[in-house]
Amino acid sequence: MMGARAATRSSEFRWIIPDTLVITWRSVLRFVRLPQLLVFSTIQPVMLLLLFNYVFGGAINAGGVKYIQYLLPGFLVQIVVFGSTQASVGLAEDLSRGIIDRFRSLPMARAAVLAGRTLADTLRYTFLVLLMVAVGSAMGFRFHNGIGPAIAAPLLAVLFGFAFTWISAFIGMTVKDVETAQVAGFVWVFPIVFASSMFAPVDSMPGWLQAFAKVNPVTPTTDTIRALCSGGEIMSHLWQSLAWIGGILVVFVTLAISRYRRIA
């Protein structure tokens, strides 16, 4: 019995990479075969960036810099955090349609289902982040801190989104139906997105809200990307951001895999 279990685990480990790539490709094909989903998920952040910059830009004190220079780093974090909620919707949909049960019946690595889904979403974040940088550049945004920080800033946003995707994966497998997953996703996303340094300086908020905004993981990540783009202190914000990313991955990868094994 022990030998059979060891052989099964060895086989799963051997196939986890190819199986993960297959599930990733399946998720990517879904975006290709549902072009309306890709189009609207692309148009929405472009419209929001235009509206925030031209509607609120003249009313918010951005510390003496153009508002697009202040806004875009936060916007990169915003699109990956909001985008991560689609993982919970997708997994809840697969559960309700019995697709997860179908995967269970196949001789494949079980971890590949979650790994493939989160990897596909990470590829989508990469596309959206690069698109927002291009749109922001057309609106006057510039990288003022050299090539290395200009590469690191989008990478940090994508890594932050990858961590949040595992939170959404856990929520999607917990609620199990699409409608609840859509509502549950925004309940926890809205407070951490807007109560942060993303759109306005934390010092401009009421004192009780500043306490939350300063410990909010979105704030150090936004401040790091902002410093990478425009200059300023990086390391004091970077270590906080990486600590949050590492902590979220440790906790929610464990919870998501545990939840997947229980429903499987």
Side-chain angles (χ1 to χ4, degrees), residues 177-211:
D177 71 271
V178 176
E179 289 80 6
T180 307
Q182 289 174 331
V183 175
F186 286 99
V187 167
W188 64 276
V189 162
F190 265 101
I192 64 170
V193 165
F194 287 96
S196 71
S197 64
M198 190 174 288
F199 300 113
V202 173
D203 294 341
S204 66
M205 302 176 186
W208 60 269
L209 189 56
Q210 288 185 29

Tab-separated table of all heavy atoms in Angstrom, residues 177-211:
chain	number	residue	atom	x	y	z
A	177	ASP	N	-20.454	28.554	-6.563
A	177	ASP	CA	-21.360	28.953	-7.637
A	177	ASP	C	-20.952	30.329	-8.153
A	177	ASP	O	-20.397	31.158	-7.410
A	177	ASP	CB	-22.822	28.944	-7.196
A	177	ASP	CG	-23.148	30.062	-6.228
A	177	ASP	OD1	-22.999	29.853	-5.014
A	177	ASP	OD2	-23.544	31.137	-6.685
A	178	VAL	N	-21.223	30.558	-9.450
A	178	VAL	CA	-20.678	31.718	-10.158
A	178	VAL	C	-21.193	33.029	-9.585
A	178	VAL	O	-20.419	33.977	-9.369
A	178	VAL	CB	-21.020	31.616	-11.661
A	178	VAL	CG1	-20.556	32.858	-12.399
A	178	VAL	CG2	-20.393	30.376	-12.258
A	179	GLU	N	-22.504	33.118	-9.334
A	179	GLU	CA	-23.082	34.382	-8.867
A	179	GLU	C	-22.480	34.802	-7.529
A	179	GLU	O	-22.111	35.974	-7.332
A	179	GLU	CB	-24.614	34.258	-8.734
A	179	GLU	CG	-25.359	34.164	-10.046
A	179	GLU	CD	-25.328	32.759	-10.633
A	179	GLU	OE1	-24.817	31.847	-9.932
A	179	GLU	OE2	-25.773	32.568	-11.769
A	180	THR	N	-22.387	33.850	-6.607
A	180	THR	CA	-21.800	34.173	-5.303
A	180	THR	C	-20.325	34.539	-5.439
A	180	THR	O	-19.834	35.440	-4.753
A	180	THR	CB	-21.958	32.984	-4.341
A	180	THR	OG1	-23.325	32.582	-4.299
A	180	THR	CG2	-21.511	33.351	-2.947
A	181	ALA	N	-19.611	33.863	-6.330
A	181	ALA	CA	-18.190	34.165	-6.535
A	181	ALA	C	-18.002	35.584	-7.043
A	181	ALA	O	-17.068	36.289	-6.637
A	181	ALA	CB	-17.582	33.162	-7.511
A	182	GLN	N	-18.905	36.046	-7.940
A	182	GLN	CA	-18.794	37.411	-8.458
A	182	GLN	C	-18.992	38.440	-7.348
A	182	GLN	O	-18.249	39.418	-7.248
A	182	GLN	CB	-19.830	37.624	-9.561
A	182	GLN	CG	-19.517	36.872	-10.844
A	182	GLN	CD	-20.629	36.978	-11.878
A	182	GLN	OE1	-21.794	37.118	-11.523
A	182	GLN	NE2	-20.264	36.887	-13.140
A	183	VAL	N	-19.992	38.213	-6.487
A	183	VAL	CA	-20.271	39.158	-5.405
A	183	VAL	C	-19.175	39.096	-4.348
A	183	VAL	O	-18.679	40.126	-3.878
A	183	VAL	CB	-21.642	38.845	-4.772
A	183	VAL	CG1	-21.885	39.746	-3.567
A	183	VAL	CG2	-22.752	39.019	-5.798
A	184	ALA	N	-18.783	37.870	-3.973
A	184	ALA	CA	-17.783	37.698	-2.914
A	184	ALA	C	-16.445	38.326	-3.305
A	184	ALA	O	-15.722	38.846	-2.451
A	184	ALA	CB	-17.592	36.213	-2.602
A	185	GLY	N	-16.135	38.305	-4.603
A	185	GLY	CA	-14.858	38.849	-5.036
A	185	GLY	C	-14.722	40.335	-4.748
A	185	GLY	O	-13.685	40.797	-4.269
A	186	PHE	N	-15.802	41.096	-5.006
A	186	PHE	CA	-15.713	42.547	-4.851
A	186	PHE	C	-15.850	42.994	-3.388
A	186	PHE	O	-15.445	44.097	-3.049
A	186	PHE	CB	-16.774	43.222	-5.717
A	186	PHE	CG	-16.427	43.185	-7.178
A	186	PHE	CD1	-16.987	42.238	-8.021
A	186	PHE	CD2	-15.502	44.074	-7.707
A	186	PHE	CE1	-16.645	42.185	-9.370
A	186	PHE	CE2	-15.152	44.039	-9.045
A	186	PHE	CZ	-15.728	43.081	-9.876
A	187	VAL	N	-16.426	42.161	-2.536
A	187	VAL	CA	-16.588	42.532	-1.123
A	187	VAL	C	-15.230	42.788	-0.465
A	187	VAL	O	-15.064	43.755	0.280
A	187	VAL	CB	-17.373	41.437	-0.377
A	187	VAL	CG1	-17.273	41.645	1.135
A	187	VAL	CG2	-18.832	41.437	-0.810
A	188	TRP	N	-14.257	41.938	-0.758
A	188	TRP	CA	-12.959	42.117	-0.108
A	188	TRP	C	-11.984	42.954	-0.943
A	188	TRP	O	-11.034	43.534	-0.401
A	188	TRP	CB	-12.324	40.756	0.212
A	188	TRP	CG	-11.991	39.914	-0.984
A	188	TRP	CD1	-12.819	39.077	-1.666
A	188	TRP	CD2	-10.716	39.836	-1.642
A	188	TRP	NE1	-12.172	38.492	-2.713
A	188	TRP	CE2	-10.879	38.922	-2.717
A	188	TRP	CE3	-9.481	40.426	-1.446
A	188	TRP	CZ2	-9.838	38.601	-3.585
A	188	TRP	CZ3	-8.431	40.106	-2.308
A	188	TRP	CH2	-8.622	39.209	-3.358
A	189	VAL	N	-12.247	43.073	-2.246
A	189	VAL	CA	-11.320	43.806	-3.112
A	189	VAL	C	-11.489	45.320	-2.985
A	189	VAL	O	-10.496	46.060	-2.914
A	189	VAL	CB	-11.504	43.352	-4.576
A	189	VAL	CG1	-10.904	44.375	-5.541
A	189	VAL	CG2	-10.861	42.003	-4.801
A	190	PHE	N	-12.732	45.798	-2.938
A	190	PHE	CA	-12.967	47.246	-2.923
A	190	PHE	C	-12.277	47.964	-1.755
A	190	PHE	O	-11.610	48.992	-1.968
A	190	PHE	CB	-14.468	47.540	-2.914
A	190	PHE	CG	-15.031	47.773	-4.285
A	190	PHE	CD1	-15.730	46.769	-4.933
A	190	PHE	CD2	-14.842	48.982	-4.936
A	190	PHE	CE1	-16.236	46.975	-6.212
A	190	PHE	CE2	-15.331	49.196	-6.204
A	190	PHE	CZ	-16.041	48.191	-6.850
A	191	PRO	N	-12.414	47.483	-0.503
A	191	PRO	CA	-11.759	48.222	0.597
A	191	PRO	C	-10.247	48.316	0.455
A	191	PRO	O	-9.657	49.374	0.719
A	191	PRO	CB	-12.159	47.410	1.840
A	191	PRO	CG	-13.374	46.662	1.442
A	191	PRO	CD	-13.219	46.360	-0.004
A	192	ILE	N	-9.599	47.219	0.047
A	192	ILE	CA	-8.139	47.285	-0.011
A	192	ILE	C	-7.648	48.094	-1.212
A	192	ILE	O	-6.545	48.634	-1.183
A	192	ILE	CB	-7.512	45.873	-0.030
A	192	ILE	CG1	-7.906	45.112	-1.286
A	192	ILE	CG2	-7.875	45.087	1.214
A	192	ILE	CD1	-7.107	43.835	-1.449
A	193	VAL	N	-8.471	48.184	-2.267
A	193	VAL	CA	-8.054	48.977	-3.432
A	193	VAL	C	-8.180	50.470	-3.153
A	193	VAL	O	-7.243	51.247	-3.374
A	193	VAL	CB	-8.879	48.582	-4.676
A	193	VAL	CG1	-8.720	49.631	-5.786
A	193	VAL	CG2	-8.441	47.221	-5.189
A	194	PHE	N	-9.340	50.903	-2.645
A	194	PHE	CA	-9.581	52.334	-2.511
A	194	PHE	C	-9.033	52.908	-1.209
A	194	PHE	O	-8.718	54.104	-1.157
A	194	PHE	CB	-11.078	52.620	-2.650
A	194	PHE	CG	-11.570	52.468	-4.069
A	194	PHE	CD1	-12.161	51.285	-4.489
A	194	PHE	CD2	-11.388	53.490	-4.981
A	194	PHE	CE1	-12.586	51.137	-5.801
A	194	PHE	CE2	-11.813	53.362	-6.295
A	194	PHE	CZ	-12.410	52.176	-6.709
A	195	ALA	N	-8.932	52.118	-0.137
A	195	ALA	CA	-8.333	52.616	1.114
A	195	ALA	C	-6.841	52.340	1.101
A	195	ALA	O	-6.302	51.557	1.887
A	195	ALA	CB	-8.997	51.944	2.316
A	196	SER	N	-6.142	52.991	0.184
A	196	SER	CA	-4.698	52.798	0.002
A	196	SER	C	-4.131	54.058	-0.640
A	196	SER	O	-4.852	55.030	-0.886
A	196	SER	CB	-4.444	51.588	-0.912
A	196	SER	OG	-4.819	51.899	-2.241
A	197	SER	N	-2.839	54.024	-0.936
A	197	SER	CA	-2.204	55.172	-1.586
A	197	SER	C	-2.364	55.130	-3.102
A	197	SER	O	-1.674	55.858	-3.812
A	197	SER	CB	-0.716	55.201	-1.245
A	197	SER	OG	-0.068	54.043	-1.776
A	198	MET	N	-3.271	54.298	-3.578
A	198	MET	CA	-3.394	54.075	-5.020
A	198	MET	C	-3.819	55.332	-5.766
A	198	MET	O	-3.235	55.705	-6.777
A	198	MET	CB	-4.389	52.944	-5.269
A	198	MET	CG	-4.430	52.455	-6.691
A	198	MET	SD	-5.488	51.014	-6.844
A	198	MET	CE	-4.458	49.778	-6.042
A	199	PHE	N	-4.864	56.023	-5.299
A	199	PHE	CA	-5.414	57.155	-6.034
A	199	PHE	C	-5.154	58.505	-5.369
A	199	PHE	O	-5.280	59.535	-6.007
A	199	PHE	CB	-6.923	56.978	-6.207
A	199	PHE	CG	-7.290	55.734	-6.965
A	199	PHE	CD1	-7.957	54.690	-6.345
A	199	PHE	CD2	-6.944	55.591	-8.306
A	199	PHE	CE1	-8.284	53.537	-7.040
A	199	PHE	CE2	-7.266	54.439	-9.005
A	199	PHE	CZ	-7.939	53.409	-8.379
A	200	ALA	N	-4.850	58.493	-4.062
A	200	ALA	CA	-4.614	59.744	-3.337
A	200	ALA	C	-3.637	59.471	-2.196
A	200	ALA	O	-3.556	58.341	-1.691
A	200	ALA	CB	-5.924	60.294	-2.788
A	201	PRO	N	-2.855	60.485	-1.775
A	201	PRO	CA	-1.914	60.278	-0.661
A	201	PRO	C	-2.627	59.839	0.610
A	201	PRO	O	-3.719	60.326	0.933
A	201	PRO	CB	-1.278	61.668	-0.493
A	201	PRO	CG	-1.451	62.337	-1.815
A	201	PRO	CD	-2.755	61.843	-2.361
A	202	VAL	N	-2.011	58.916	1.339
A	202	VAL	CA	-2.608	58.398	2.580
A	202	VAL	C	-2.789	59.519	3.605
A	202	VAL	O	-3.758	59.529	4.374
A	202	VAL	CB	-1.723	57.274	3.161
A	202	VAL	CG1	-2.227	56.842	4.536
A	202	VAL	CG2	-1.693	56.082	2.207
A	203	ASP	N	-1.875	60.497	3.618
A	203	ASP	CA	-1.947	61.585	4.595
A	203	ASP	C	-3.203	62.448	4.432
A	203	ASP	O	-3.561	63.177	5.359
A	203	ASP	CB	-0.708	62.480	4.476
A	203	ASP	CG	0.553	61.741	4.884
A	203	ASP	OD1	0.420	60.713	5.583
A	203	ASP	OD2	1.657	62.181	4.504
A	204	SER	N	-3.848	62.386	3.265
A	204	SER	CA	-5.054	63.180	3.040
A	204	SER	C	-6.298	62.504	3.585
A	204	SER	O	-7.387	63.088	3.543
A	204	SER	CB	-5.233	63.441	1.539
A	204	SER	OG	-5.492	62.219	0.849
A	205	MET	N	-6.178	61.281	4.112
A	205	MET	CA	-7.336	60.528	4.609
A	205	MET	C	-7.563	60.809	6.086
A	205	MET	O	-6.660	61.273	6.793
A	205	MET	CB	-7.094	59.018	4.407
A	205	MET	CG	-6.847	58.616	2.971
A	205	MET	SD	-6.458	56.855	2.823
A	205	MET	CE	-6.053	56.756	1.075
A	206	PRO	N	-8.780	60.525	6.593
A	206	PRO	CA	-9.018	60.649	8.042
A	206	PRO	C	-8.067	59.746	8.828
A	206	PRO	O	-7.630	58.704	8.321
A	206	PRO	CB	-10.471	60.180	8.195
A	206	PRO	CG	-11.073	60.294	6.843
A	206	PRO	CD	-9.977	60.109	5.848
A	207	GLY	N	-7.768	60.137	10.063
A	207	GLY	CA	-6.775	59.412	10.853
A	207	GLY	C	-7.080	57.941	11.010
A	207	GLY	O	-6.176	57.094	10.891
A	208	TRP	N	-8.364	57.594	11.274
A	208	TRP	CA	-8.707	56.184	11.481
A	208	TRP	C	-8.507	55.367	10.210
A	208	TRP	O	-8.165	54.180	10.265
A	208	TRP	CB	-10.163	56.059	11.948
A	208	TRP	CG	-11.181	56.618	10.971
A	208	TRP	CD1	-11.665	57.886	10.932
A	208	TRP	CD2	-11.805	55.909	9.888
A	208	TRP	NE1	-12.575	58.023	9.901
A	208	TRP	CE2	-12.683	56.832	9.247
A	208	TRP	CE3	-11.719	54.605	9.417
A	208	TRP	CZ2	-13.451	56.477	8.151
A	208	TRP	CZ3	-12.488	54.244	8.320
A	208	TRP	CH2	-13.344	55.179	7.698
A	209	LEU	N	-8.692	56.028	9.039
A	209	LEU	CA	-8.522	55.305	7.779
A	209	LEU	C	-7.044	55.169	7.411
A	209	LEU	O	-6.640	54.204	6.765
A	209	LEU	CB	-9.279	56.032	6.669
A	209	LEU	CG	-9.389	55.304	5.331
A	209	LEU	CD1	-10.015	53.921	5.497
A	209	LEU	CD2	-10.197	56.121	4.332
A	210	GLN	N	-6.226	56.157	7.840
A	210	GLN	CA	-4.792	56.071	7.560
A	210	GLN	C	-4.174	54.813	8.168
A	210	GLN	O	-3.297	54.181	7.578
A	210	GLN	CB	-4.080	57.304	8.121
A	210	GLN	CG	-4.341	58.592	7.356
A	210	GLN	CD	-3.515	59.743	7.873
A	210	GLN	OE1	-2.406	59.531	8.396
A	210	GLN	NE2	-4.024	60.961	7.744
A	211	ALA	N	-4.640	54.444	9.375
A	211	ALA	CA	-4.081	53.261	10.044
A	211	ALA	C	-4.280	52.018	9.188
A	211	ALA	O	-3.372	51.183	9.045
A	211	ALA	CB	-4.735	53.085	11.418
